[in-house]
Amino acid sequence: MSDPTGNTAQQQPTPTELANAAAEEARRRRLGLPPLPRRRRDRGRPVRLVLRWLVIVCVVAAVAVLGTSAWAYFSGEIGPMRGDEKDVARTLTLAGDTPAWADPEQLRCAAEAVVKDKGSSGLTDAGVVTKTGSGFSYTGEWPSALGSQWYSELLDCADGVGANSWAKQVAGAWTLEDPGCLSEVGRPAIAGVLAVTDLRLTDEDLAAKNVAAITDLDSCYARTPAAPTAGAASGYRQVTLKVTAPTVTAGIPSIDDGSAEPTAGEDPELTYTLPVDKGGAEACVEATTKVTYAWGTVRTGEPAKLCGNAAEARMEWRKVNHTCPKGKPKCTYVAAYVDGLAADQSLTVTYKPSGDFKCPGKKPTCKVKIKAGSEGRAQTSGILATGKKGKILATAGSLRATYPS
């Protein structure tokens, strides 16, 4: 037996109990009955007592854990956010400065992490959000340390690896072909660069700290680009140049054309329509490739002179309306047309007929002076084409035309 205090040692029998036991033994011997069985010690009692104490300890511990969890839940330490913290987290999740490369769950995760760390009052005091009526509004202004923390949480909340890793996300946003160097530079450093480039910071403390990260990024990704190339198309007293920047594996290429004005296209492919004074003249654009990287670095290549020629001036015979002479109700008049001259340019066209074709007055050659207008076009007066054999050759410098063609 055990005493009320829990002592497992057995109590000693009293004298009365001993006397009664001896009398019972004597009676059983007289009657020939077997002796009473010896009293055995209960060896299982200590084990049961240990188990009982273990149960008591576990119950006390469970009550303590449940109490602590309940306090943490209702105080907002765990479980869904409530009150101002919930409103501030929602405001940050939906803010206009949230990056397009982060998915909604990632934004929510980062917002809750920042709010749990700083609290609604901490973000309000920092000026990131402001109390408006029953809720909060986003100001767009961040202390640099807090802005860096915001992006660090965003990167930390990226889901998974590979295509969903933070380095892959940032590489896509920064037009980098290989995200490997981002991982080497490290998440905290990249978070600082993102904060400086994407947020409106209220101080410049972070900019100086980013120097090492930007140096590493430049070393890995920034390169001097090749010169742009161009395809030329000849037009009437004009040249069309389609200038294209080279393909780059990192950054955004553009074309720096100095004072030239493109007429169409968007970087990195621009079209220039360049007027010239006369046919065959050359027109050029001096262009340079410029590559801009997301962290602010710019690399500029060597300038290239890209040229093309306008269509050459030309001369051709065309039929013209002219009154036929008497006795020839059906006749044909032709004239030499010249296109692509300079404005107000004068020149002399010489006709050299052969065969049945004759100049007026049956001269072997005849000359006609013409003058171009502002558009660079001119024509001779008509000449009667009556011959059936032979031809008329018209020349003016390097220009030539034969009738019939």
Side-chain angles (χ1 to χ4, degrees):
M1 3 180 353
S2 61
D3 62 21
T5 65
N7 187 5
T8 58
Q10 291 188 352
Q11 293 179 338
Q12 296 295 325
T14 64
T16 302
E17 289 175 336
L18 292 175
N20 291 338
E24 178 61 23
E25 287 289 343
R27 187 184 69 82
R28 294 182 72 86
R29 282 196 299 270
R30 289 195 304 269
L31 297 176
L33 297 175
L36 289 170
R38 288 188 173 273
R39 195 173 186 181
R40 295 181 180 178
R41 186 174 182 179
D42 188 356
R43 299 181 181 274
R45 185 178 300 274
V47 174
R48 289 195 299 272
L49 187 61
V50 170
L51 292 175
R52 184 183 304 154
W53 277 107
L54 285 176
V55 171
I56 293 172
V57 170
C58 290
V59 169
V60 172
V63 170
V65 170
L66 289 174
T68 303
S69 299
W71 172 83
Y73 181 89
F74 289 108
S75 64
E77 291 298 318
I78 62 173
M81 305 184 77
R82 286 164 301 281
D84 287 352
E85 280 73 19
K86 184 177 181 180
D87 290 341
V88 172
R90 183 186 300 111
T91 300
L92 290 182
T93 302
L94 302 176
D97 289 338
T98 54
W101 46 263
D103 59 57
E105 179 60 26
Q106 188 175 353
L107 293 169
R108 184 198 62 78
C109 168
E112 291 187 357
V114 171
V115 171
K116 284 185 177 180
D117 182 53
K118 299 299 181 182
S120 60
S121 59
L123 290 166
T124 303
D125 293 342
V128 178
V129 296
T130 183
K131 185 75 173 177
T132 54
S134 60
F136 292 85
S137 62
Y138 177 65
T139 67
E141 296 185 348
W142 295 77
S144 60
L146 191 54
S148 180
Q149 180 183 354
W150 163 246
Y151 267 105
S152 183
E153 296 292 355
L154 271 174
L155 300 183
D156 193 43
C157 288
D159 182 19
V161 296
N164 294 325
S165 68
W166 70 264
K168 195 71 173 180
Q169 284 182 322
V170 176
W174 284 359
T175 63
L176 306 177
E177 190 175 67
D178 179 14
C181 284
L182 297 178
S183 299
E184 294 178 7
V185 174
R187 180 170 57 84
I190 297 301
V193 175
L194 284 166
V196 170
T197 56
D198 294 353
L199 296 177
R200 189 165 70 247
L201 302 180
T202 57
D203 59 76
E204 298 182 359
D205 295 345
L206 193 58
K209 298 178 182 178
N210 282 343
V211 172
I214 290 175
T215 300
D216 291 339
L217 289 169
D218 287 347
S219 176
C220 189
Y221 295 110
R223 300 290 182 270
T224 300
T229 56
S234 300
Y236 182 75
R237 294 208 311 177
Q238 70 179 25
V239 179
T240 299
L241 293 174
K242 193 172 186 179
V243 181
T244 304
T247 301
V248 296
T249 59
I252 299 176
S254 60
I255 298 167
D256 185 357
D257 51 24
S259 60
E261 289 291 336
T263 53
E266 293 183 359
D267 272 324
E269 189 174 83
L270 299 175
T271 299
Y272 300 83
T273 303
L274 309 173
V276 295
D277 291 336
K278 60 182 180 179
E282 184 182 64
C284 301
V285 167
E286 188 170 276
T288 305
T289 303
K290 182 170 66 176
V291 179
T292 304
Y293 299 90
W295 50 91
T297 295
V298 177
R299 290 287 185 267
T300 303
E302 293 295 325
K305 189 176 183 181
L306 308 170
C307 302
N309 291 87
E312 295 287 345
R314 64 176 184 172
M315 181 167 62
E316 62 180 0
W317 289 100
R318 300 178 191 172
K319 292 182 179 181
V320 294
N321 294 324
H322 198 283
T323 304
C324 292
K326 293 181 179 180
K328 294 183 179 180
K330 294 182 179 179
C331 66
T332 300
Y333 277 85
V334 293
Y337 279 73
V338 182
D339 293 332
L341 300 176
D344 300 324
Q345 180 181 348
S346 298
L347 74 163
T348 299
V349 180
T350 301
Y351 294 156
K352 293 181 180 180
S354 64
D356 295 338
F357 294 95
K358 305 295 182 182
C359 281
K362 298 182 180 181
K363 295 180 180 180
T365 62
C366 45
K367 299 181 183 295
V368 181
K369 289 186 178 181
I370 59 175
K371 183 178 180 179
S374 60
E375 297 298 320
R377 293 183 171 92
Q379 71 176 85
T380 64
S381 56
I383 182 173
L384 180 63
T386 58
K388 296 182 179 179
K389 295 180 182 179
K391 60 185 180 180
I392 305 175
L393 175 64
T395 60
S398 61
L399 301 175
R400 305 172 69 87
T402 302
Y403 178 85
S405 58

